[in-house]
Amino acid sequence: MLRFLLPWLLVLHFAFPSVSAKAENYESLSVSRLGIGSGFSVALQEILTVIFMALARIGRESESKFSIPFVMRISCGARENVRTQPTNTLWFKDFAYTGGIPYNATRPSYISPPLKTLRYFPLSSGPENCYNINRVPKGHYLVRIFFGLVKQENFDNEPLFDISIEGTQISSLKSGWSNQDDQVFAEAFVFLTDGTASICFHSTGHGDPSILSLEILQVDDKAYYYGSQWGEGVILRTTARLNCGAGKPKFDVDLNANNWGGDRFWIPIPTFSQGSDQSRSVETSIKQASKSPNFYPEAIYKSALVSTDSQPDLEYTMDVDPNKNYSIWLHFAEIDTSISSVGQRVFDVQINGDVAFADVDIIKMSGDRFTALVLNTTVAVNGRSLAITLNPKKGGHAIINAIEVFEIIIAESRTLVEEVRALQALKGALELPVRLGWNGDPCVPPQHPWSGADCQYDKTSNKWVIDGIGLDNQGLKGFLPNDISRLRHLQSINLSGNGIRGVIPSSLGTVTSLEKLDLSYNLFNGSIPESLGQLTSLQTLYLNSNSLSGKVPVSLGGKLLHRASFNFTDNAGLCGIPGLPSCGPHLTAGAKVGIALGSLLLFLLLVIFSICCWKRRQNILRAQQIAARDAPYAKARTHLSRDIQMTRHHNHSHARTAAENGPSLLS
């Protein structure tokens, strides 16, 4: 019976990953759910359980091989989708992702994608500009940005600017980047968890950011796991990725690598230093290369650099940013035909003079010749250089196939989502000029906060919050929305010297932390909200030079006795405190509402009474008209009646005379 079931189990093994790409599907299978158990022995059930668990384990290991990673490539400035050769790669147009100006592009390097357009962001459009890409599945991604040059004479062809991903700055372009192949792009491994990808470019006053392309490529969730500090709060910025002994630059796609590798770019390095090493290459297959979770292409292990008799140490030195932590990945495969057994080549790996790996024996550690070996370590670098040295202990020569170096960046905490939305509502309501930007996250990266928004870190929520708005004398119009009350950590608001109209939102009274409110020299009208008197921390209130009216709330006037600094002047309609005109009988808001309702009711009664009088008058007039129209017929009937009556009276008189006189006597 087991022999009968095994083929079906194998079918399940291959069918489930191809359909769902989730190893959990294996674990969801059980003997009972398959209807097996009543006619089978306990031993057989246990065997089937073991098989299912094994399939689950296989499913996890092979999950990435059967599923397809999320890929989004954007050709900046393109009006239509583009395919590039020789790989027939699809690049989407960048419609509706951002602002800026599309323009013709010049590729700074032969490694740049063969695209013809870019998008640049003049400073007049704001100091921060972002690509905001929605519907990105939660996961781990390689994000890569290629820079371009505007194809126009007399244009600053090498802009310098900063790049951030999800609010964390990952790169800052340095002068001369357009002449160095490994600096024409920025790349980092980052977790995207909220369904969006925000990639921002921050002007530094040295030209306009110009972007050729963006790539968001999903990788294995455990890719480049380097230790306990690794996780969603960490970004790995690519500092160097070298293919030692190779002669041509290649992407993963050129090396036929697994799609879950992220299409990494491998820079060839034929030598560390002229005369200090020599290259090796083979066509032999390399074992244990394309393994989860990093899926390295096999080809990077088919070339290597080997030290020489004159220079036994093999050393590579690179420039890095000081006072940073770096994750270093070293790749080895024994491809030298002169080394065939354990112990023939042994060396130490030193990083900045300290031994990181002692007694490295590639064949011993990998298990065989032509077998991949990856070593990883994390180091703190205080200076501006990182030196990787292979010091031979046996065999006389050292060998290395590839090097990867990543700067470890702790991801910035974001601003509270509710406060970001409140600022966006404020941006629209106040009609903020484009030059202010207000794109991306208002508080991060900390090097580039929004102009006019002050931030502080809230340890309770582990998020950034807004504690100040300073947009005085910015030519603002529009109105002040109720959404401003959602900025619950505000201590200061300064909107003076603008053209803001409308009423002061009563919701400001709920921002209990507010200490300073300056709305002077605007076009505010209406009354001062009673709710402002509830702001117990309010010490400065400038409402002068507006069009406010009504009585100043008593609670605000009382605060003047506690050395608060208030200014209500140049509001012709305000009254009620020293320095302002005296008010008549003051009515509460409820009384005002009552009077208004009473007036409305009286008006309705007057209207109803007028309508009734008008109707009555109309009825009288209609009756008179009917009477006048029927008058001739009435007169005729009256005469006839009178004649009849007269005739009857005459006849009656004759009859009575005859009776009285008696009958006539005839002779």
Side-chain angles (χ1 to χ4, degrees):
M1 183 61 67
L2 181 60
R3 185 168 55 184
F4 171 80
L5 288 175
L6 282 177
W8 292 102
L9 295 176
L10 292 175
V11 169
L12 288 173
H13 164 60
F14 289 106
F16 270 90
S18 62
V19 173
S20 66
K22 296 294 181 184
E24 290 83 355
N25 289 322
Y26 292 114
E27 295 175 330
S28 67
L29 295 174
S30 66
V31 171
S32 60
R33 290 185 64 182
L34 288 175
I36 300 173
S38 59
F40 289 81
S41 66
V42 175
L44 180 56
Q45 292 183 32
E46 291 178 352
I47 293 173
L48 292 176
T49 300
V50 171
I51 293 174
F52 281 129
M53 295 304 296
L55 290 178
R57 185 168 59 253
I58 294 171
R60 290 193 196 95
E61 295 176 352
S62 62
E63 177 179 350
S64 298
K65 296 181 181 180
F66 286 96
S67 56
I68 300 175
F70 176 89
V71 173
M72 169 67 77
R73 289 184 169 92
I74 297 175
S75 176
C76 301
R79 298 180 182 272
E80 302 291 341
N81 294 344
V82 179
R83 286 193 179 272
T84 55
Q85 301 304 322
T87 55
N88 199 37
T89 301
L90 174 63
W91 301 82
F92 291 98
K93 59 185 178 181
D94 70 345
F95 175 75
Y97 290 119
T98 186
I101 300 174
Y103 212 83
N104 293 331
T106 297
R107 296 164 58 200
S109 169
Y110 67 98
I111 70 169
S112 302
L115 303 171
K116 297 180 179 179
T117 61
L118 55 69
R119 187 173 291 272
Y120 77 96
F121 303 92
L123 189 57
S124 59
S125 67
E128 289 86 36
N129 288 274
C130 304
Y131 272 82
N132 296 303
I133 302 168
N134 298 320
R135 296 188 295 277
V136 178
K138 179 180 179 180
H140 197 195
Y141 290 86
L142 181 149
V143 179
R144 181 164 52 224
I145 305 104
F146 271 95
F147 319 125
L149 302 175
V150 174
K151 195 174 184 178
Q152 180 180 339
E153 294 183 2
N154 302 320
F155 199 91
D156 186 354
N157 274 337
E158 194 183 63
L160 307 180
F161 53 94
D162 295 343
I163 304 100
S164 68
I165 300 175
E166 294 294 288
T168 301
Q169 183 166 315
I170 65 159
S171 184
S172 182
L173 271 66
K174 299 177 177 60
S175 180
W177 65 263
S178 60
N179 297 319
Q180 301 184 50
D181 296 334
D182 60 345
Q183 294 186 26
V184 299
F185 67 92
E187 178 186 282
F189 289 92
V190 58
F191 284 92
L192 302 177
T193 59
D194 60 357
T196 65
S198 177
I199 305 170
C200 298
F201 314 104
H202 310 273
S203 298
T204 59
H206 302 281
D208 302 327
S210 302
I211 311 303
L212 184 69
S213 67
L214 302 177
E215 296 172 87
I216 304 174
L217 312 173
Q218 190 176 11
V219 298
D220 192 283
D221 283 347
K222 291 290 185 179
Y224 291 102
Y225 177 88
Y226 63 84
S228 59
Q229 301 301 314
W230 179 94
E232 291 186 4
V234 171
I235 294 175
L236 293 181
R237 180 184 72 85
T238 304
T239 304
R241 183 178 291 113
L242 309 175
N243 189 3
C244 301
K248 293 182 179 180
K250 290 187 177 181
F251 289 88
D252 277 357
V253 67
D254 303 315
L255 299 173
N256 297 317
N258 189 291
N259 290 335
W260 284 93
D263 199 19
R264 292 155 293 196
F265 176 68
W266 298 88
I267 298 175
I269 182 164
T271 179
F272 289 160
S273 178
Q274 196 65 37
S276 66
D277 50 38
Q278 52 189 349
S279 62
R280 294 280 191 277
S281 63
V282 296
E283 295 297 327
T284 308
S285 295
I286 305 298
K287 293 171 287 187
Q288 302 295 319
S290 186
K291 292 176 57 179
S292 173
N294 293 347
F295 299 101
Y296 291 114
E298 179 185 349
I300 67 169
Y301 297 98
K302 293 185 177 183
S303 65
L305 288 176
V306 181
S307 61
T308 62
D309 292 336
S310 60
Q311 187 66 42
D313 288 350
L314 195 58
E315 182 173 348
Y316 175 73
T317 302
M318 60 180 294
D319 295 331
V320 295
D321 293 331
N323 304 315
K324 305 285 187 181
N325 292 329
Y326 291 88
S327 179
I328 301 173
W329 299 72
L330 305 176
H331 301 267
F332 304 96
E334 189 54 80
I335 62 173
D336 193 334
T337 56
S338 63
I339 305 297
S340 59
S341 61
V342 172
Q344 288 186 299
R345 190 198 306 276
V346 180
F347 54 88
D348 290 343
V349 177
Q350 300 176 355
I351 298 178
N352 281 350
D354 297 325
V355 175
F357 303 100
D359 300 326
V360 175
D361 187 326
I362 299 172
I363 295 179
K364 180 180 180 180
M365 297 172 71
S366 67
D368 199 357
R369 299 173 61 200
F370 305 110
T371 304
L373 171 67
V374 182
L375 300 180
N376 166 244
T377 187
T378 301
V379 298
V381 179
N382 297 321
R384 292 187 173 275
S385 63
L386 175 66
I388 301 172
T389 306
L390 278 61
N391 177 243
K393 299 180 69 176
K394 291 183 180 180
H397 299 158
I399 186 174
I400 191 167
N401 301 74
I403 299 174
E404 291 178 290
V405 179
F406 301 99
E407 179 187 343
I408 299 174
I409 302 174
I410 303 301
E412 298 284 356
S413 295
R414 308 293 295 276
T415 305
L416 277 174
V417 173
E418 183 180 8
E419 302 212 350
V420 175
R421 291 172 179 167
L423 284 183
Q424 290 170 341
L426 190 67
K427 174 183 177 180
L430 294 180
E431 301 176 17
L432 256 66
V434 177
R435 58 181 168 78
L436 288 179
W438 278 35
N439 298 308
D441 190 292
C443 298
V444 292
Q447 303 92 326
H448 300 282
W450 286 1
S451 176
D454 298 328
C455 303
Q456 70 174 5
Y457 188 75
D458 180 33
K459 295 181 179 179
T460 302
S461 62
N462 293 323
K463 298 285 186 179
W464 289 90
V465 296
I466 309 300
D467 68 345
I469 299 292
L471 294 171
D472 52 308
N473 300 301
Q474 294 294 330
L476 306 181
K477 302 184 185 301
F479 63 95
L480 195 58
N482 283 320
D483 298 85
I484 195 170
S485 64
R486 294 160 62 187
L487 300 171
R488 301 195 175 277
H489 301 85
L490 280 177
Q491 298 178 25
S492 172
I493 301 175
N494 186 354
L495 297 173
S496 64
N498 291 293
I500 306 172
R501 61 187 183 275
V503 299
I504 299 173
S506 61
S507 59
L508 273 176
T510 64
V511 187
T512 56
S513 58
L514 196 61
E515 299 176 0
K516 177 181 178 181
L517 178 60
D518 188 350
L519 303 179
S520 60
Y521 297 96
N522 277 287
L523 302 174
F524 287 104
N525 55 34
S527 60
I528 299 175
E530 295 277 353
S531 61
L532 295 187
Q534 303 171 10
L535 300 176
T536 56
S537 300
L538 190 64
Q539 292 298 312
T540 302
L541 177 61
Y542 296 151
L543 301 179
N544 52 295
S545 300
N546 280 285
S547 300
L548 299 171
S549 60
K551 187 175 181 179
V552 175
V554 175
S555 54
L556 286 177
K559 291 182 180 293
L560 292 172
L561 302 176
H562 297 86
R563 297 183 180 181
S565 177
F566 291 175
N567 190 343
F568 303 111
T569 60
D570 293 330
N571 286 281
L574 281 182
C575 60
I577 63 172
L580 296 178
S582 59
C583 299
H586 179 62
L587 296 176
T588 64
K592 292 178 181 178
V593 172
I595 292 174
L597 291 176
S599 300
L600 178 61
L601 181 61
L602 180 60
F603 175 76
L604 291 175
L605 291 174
L606 290 174
V607 171
I608 293 171
F609 179 75
S610 300
I611 292 173
C612 291
C613 290
W614 179 79
K615 285 286 187 182
R616 184 174 181 275
R617 178 63 178 168
Q618 290 296 108
N619 291 336
I620 294 173
L621 291 175
R622 188 179 295 109
Q624 291 175 346
Q625 290 174 356
I626 293 172
R629 187 170 56 247
D630 294 341
Y633 303 101
K635 183 177 181 181
R637 286 194 300 271
T638 302
H639 286 188
L640 178 61
S641 175
R642 187 182 63 184
D643 291 344
I644 293 171
Q645 291 176 0
M646 289 291 291
T647 301
R648 288 178 177 174
H649 178 73
H650 175 73
N651 292 335
H652 179 71
S653 297
H654 279 286
R656 188 177 66 178
T657 300
E660 289 177 353
N661 295 331
S664 296
L665 296 178
L666 299 175
S667 56

